[in-house]
Amino acid sequence: DIESAFRSVALEEGIGILEGEAIHNGVSDHDRENARKTDFRQRWQDIPDEVIENHATALCYMDAKGLRFNLPAYMRFALLHYDDRNSDCFDWTIYAVSKEQHDLDHEWAIFSETQKTRRLSR
């Protein structure tokens, strides 16, 4: 369902995982721009599990386009590895898709109805 709902989503000019992590770490504008240039932008399906696992807090620093692009990768990782890994990204992913967060956050307006449904299905 996740794959289908988010199949053709690209990051566009949104904040990606590496840029989000750079913001979290308070790096210089130059280093943030370098992180942005090396971010995953075309296919969220190509983001390696290690990147997801090691950049849990990046979700907090993403804009709407970044969240729409990266969240399916985090959701997939959580579903595939919940029983075999101990990662902070599980908590951050659950928080990101929580009903309370959805109701308070206008960023979800960019998501299609199908994506919102897949995101909230548990």
Side-chain angles (χ1 to χ4, degrees), residues 1-66:
D1 286 347
I2 294 168
E3 181 73 37
S4 176
F6 293 91
R7 178 168 307 155
S8 61
V9 174
L11 181 56
E12 301 170 12
E13 69 276 359
I15 296 173
I17 293 174
L18 302 179
E19 183 180 7
E21 189 70 17
I23 295 168
H24 170 73
N25 291 327
V27 302
S28 68
D29 290 343
H30 180 293
D31 289 343
R32 177 179 172 178
E33 183 59 31
N34 284 340
R36 183 176 182 78
K37 288 178 184 176
T38 59
D39 236 323
F40 301 89
R41 303 198 82 72
Q42 297 303 312
R43 286 181 30 90
W44 61 266
Q45 299 89 333
D46 295 336
I47 301 172
D49 286 348
E50 294 74 28
V51 172
I52 299 295
E53 187 170 25
N54 294 320
H55 297 90
T57 58
L59 280 171
C60 297
Y61 298 93
M62 292 178 190
D63 56 3
K65 288 183 179 182

Side-chain angles (χ1 to χ4, degrees), residues 68-85:
R68 182 183 59 184
F69 176 75
N70 290 288
L71 189 56
Y74 280 83
M75 290 189 302
R76 179 188 62 192
F77 178 86
L79 290 171
L80 293 174
H81 298 292
Y82 189 78
D83 290 331
D84 64 18
R85 302 231 180 136

Side-chain angles (χ1 to χ4, degrees), residues 78-105:
L79 290 171
L80 293 174
H81 298 292
Y82 189 78
D83 290 331
D84 64 18
R85 302 231 180 136
N86 184 15
S87 175
D88 290 340
C89 81
F90 302 138
D91 293 334
W92 289 107
T93 303
I94 291 167
Y95 175 74
V97 300
S98 71
K99 178 81 168 105
E100 294 78 18
Q101 183 68 5
H102 170 69
D103 288 344
L104 297 174
D105 201 340

